[in-house]
């Protein structure tokens, strides 16, 4: 099989080391080059997040990713897309696709498509964000037909702080955000290290867990027309016919946004 390359535009430096970890668990013919966009002001605040995802910031990295052989590109930021609302996030992705000349998406849409692929319609959100930013994510999901039955906000202002969270705090966040009505739990911040904890998260909660860096890679592969499976990356990457830790086998794929 030919090499599949997914280009990732990642704001600043926080948890980008999740991507080589995910790449290691995937097939050896999958590459995940990362271009670091200018984060601007590191603040989970509406105006700063809108500026962080400005078209010119994202476009700055597309040439490097094209030269790396990218077949798709994903804006690896959740809050920097959903804060614009669903229509604004769509425009952002369309502008990125035009600039890159490649299929493009963002982590916000990745969560919607991943939920569809798992057949999940009711979710709980366990967010690192302040309350008002978490509400933006809830509204984004609900506008896409995903019901949010519970949401927990942690009140963290900067990605830099989130990037320091270790295993115990990640597990505590997911458990605190879970709800018995939820079919899956979503952890939406790409600044949060989760790749090493996906198996334990799903075993602990007994349901699928979708995390930002996980769904970002999955979305890029989906756009590139590549299906991939891996042990240790949760229900989303579970092999067909094999029950994952969370107990739900994903469907074959989701329709494009």
């Amino acid at each position: 099989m030919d090499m599949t390359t997914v280009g990732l535009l990642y704001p600043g430096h926080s948890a980008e080391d999740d991507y080589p970890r995910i790449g290691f668990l995937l097939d050896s013919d999958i590459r995940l080059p990362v271009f670091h966009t200018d984060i601007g002001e590191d603040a989970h605040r509406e105006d700063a997040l809108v500026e962080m995802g400005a078209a010119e910031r994202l476009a700055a990295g597309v040439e490097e990713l094209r030269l790396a052989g990218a077949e798709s590109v994903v804006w690896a930021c959740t809050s920097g897309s959903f804060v614009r609302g669903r229509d604004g996030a769509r425009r952002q992705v369309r502008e990125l696709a035009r600039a890159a000349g490649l299929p493009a998406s963002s982590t916000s849409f990745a969560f919607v498509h991943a939920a569809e692929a798992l057949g999940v319609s009711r979710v709980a959100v366990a967010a690192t964000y302040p309350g008002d930013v978490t509400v933006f994510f809830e509204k984004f999901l609900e506008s896409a037909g995903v019901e949010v039955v519970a949401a927990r906000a942690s009140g963290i202002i900067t990605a830099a702080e989130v990037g320091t969270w270790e295993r115990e705090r990640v597990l505590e966040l997911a458990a605190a955000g879970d709800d018995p009505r939820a079919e899956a739990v979503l952890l939406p911040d790409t600044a949060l290290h989760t790749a090493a904890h996906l198996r334990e998260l799903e075993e602990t909660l007994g349901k699928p867990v979708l995390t930002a860096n996980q769904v970002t890679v999955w979305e890029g592969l989906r756009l590139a027309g590549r299906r991939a499976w891996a042990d240790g990356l949760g229900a989303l990457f579970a092999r067909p016919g094999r029950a994952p830790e969370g107990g739900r086998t994903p469907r074959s794929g989701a329709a494009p946004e």
Side-chain angles (χ1 to χ4, degrees):
M1 183 179 292
D2 294 335
M3 181 72 69
T4 300
T5 302
V6 173
L8 304 171
L9 294 169
Y10 187 90
H13 298 267
S14 294
E16 68 271 21
D17 47 329
D18 263 8
Y19 296 117
R21 181 182 290 273
I22 292 171
F24 177 78
L25 293 172
L26 292 170
D27 295 331
S28 59
D29 58 355
I30 292 174
R31 295 177 60 242
L32 305 172
V34 176
F35 178 88
H36 296 273
T37 65
D38 178 11
I39 197 172
E41 182 182 0
D42 181 10
H44 288 141
R45 196 181 66 242
E46 182 180 1
D47 61 329
L49 293 170
V50 169
E51 179 59 29
M52 185 191 303
E56 60 271 19
R57 291 179 186 267
L58 274 56
V62 298
E63 182 61 23
E64 182 172 318
L65 293 179
R66 276 201 303 263
L67 291 173
E71 298 163 55
S72 63
V73 59
V74 184
W75 167 223
C77 182
T78 326
S79 56
S81 48
F82 69 66
V83 73
R84 295 168 176 263
R86 196 171 181 216
D87 289 342
R90 278 180 173 152
R91 286 193 295 272
Q92 183 186 58
V93 165
R94 285 197 297 266
E95 290 170 354
L96 177 57
R98 282 196 296 268
L102 296 167
S105 189
S106 67
T107 305
S108 293
F109 287 119
F111 273 109
V112 172
H113 296 151
E116 291 173 350
L118 290 174
V120 166
S121 60
R122 296 187 308 279
V123 304
V125 171
T128 57
Y129 313 130
D132 59 337
V133 176
T134 302
V135 169
F136 277 113
F137 188 47
E138 293 177 66
K139 291 180 177 178
F140 180 90
L141 292 172
E142 289 170 349
S143 72
V146 180
E147 180 185 0
V148 179
V149 298
R152 179 180 179 84
S154 300
I156 306 302
I157 298 297
T158 68
E161 181 177 351
V162 173
T164 67
W165 284 26
E166 297 183 353
R167 168 188 166 276
E168 184 176 349
R169 201 163 181 187
V170 174
L171 294 174
E172 288 175 354
L173 172 65
D178 190 16
D179 185 281
R181 298 168 293 172
E183 298 170 301
V185 177
L186 278 52
L187 279 64
D189 197 341
T190 59
L192 188 66
H193 289 93
T194 58
H197 315 310
L198 281 161
R199 185 191 300 273
E200 187 174 7
L201 284 165
E202 293 198 344
E203 288 176 344
T204 299
L205 300 182
K207 63 183 66 174
V209 175
L210 298 175
T211 72
N213 292 325
Q214 170 211 39
V215 302
T216 296
V217 172
W218 179 88
E219 178 80 340
L221 291 170
R222 184 186 71 81
L223 289 176
R226 174 69 184 273
R227 296 183 65 189
W229 304 279
D231 295 331
L233 289 180
L236 189 61
F237 282 96
R239 299 177 189 278
R242 180 173 178 177
E245 290 83 6
R248 184 185 293 269
T249 301
R251 299 203 304 254
S252 59
E257 182 66 32

